[in-house]
Amino acid sequence: MEEQWDFEFLSRIADSCLSFLSEFVNDWLANDMRVCIFKILLSWLIFSLIAIHFAWKVYGNTVNDMYYRQGSGQNGGTPDTAAHLSGWESQVGDTLKTHRD
């Protein structure tokens, strides 16, 4: 019983995909304004993605080197802790805040 339902579900999905594709092809072949705008926007998107890909291939290492922090420490040139603070330790006169404060 469950196998029939799975087959019926898959056949409905396949039929809806085929009908969508056939409508899309019919609209694509028609030369109305919607299709022209869609073709222009699609070609612009593809061109932009290709341009970004080639630009990253050429300039990717340069951009990475500009933003890579060099030096020692946890974040490149920054020290692990501030010189005037002693890490997690508090001074003697400091009162600790609780959740209720």
Side-chain angles (χ1 to χ4, degrees), residues 16-84:
S16 63
C17 287
L18 286 175
S19 66
F20 173 76
L21 287 175
S22 65
E23 283 184 36
F24 185 77
V25 167
N26 290 339
D27 285 343
W28 187 268
L29 295 176
N31 285 326
D32 61 346
M33 188 58 71
R34 292 182 305 144
V35 176
C36 291
I37 292 173
F38 179 77
K39 287 179 181 179
I40 291 169
L41 291 176
L42 182 65
S43 62
W44 180 258
L45 176 69
I46 291 171
F47 173 75
S48 298
L49 290 175
I50 291 171
I52 290 169
H53 174 73
F54 283 123
W56 187 254
K57 276 185 138 181
V58 173
Y59 298 109
N61 291 332
T62 306
V63 172
N64 189 31
D65 290 341
M66 282 190 334
Y67 291 104
Y68 179 72
R69 294 184 181 180
Q70 298 173 355
S72 62
Q74 64 181 6
N75 292 325
T78 59
D80 290 332
T81 58
H84 65 282

Side-chain angles (χ1 to χ4, degrees), residues 1-13:
M1 182 72 181
E2 198 171 318
E3 294 173 4
Q4 288 179 339
W5 187 83
D6 288 341
F7 179 71
E8 181 181 333
F9 181 69
L10 291 175
S11 66
R12 283 185 184 177
I13 289 176

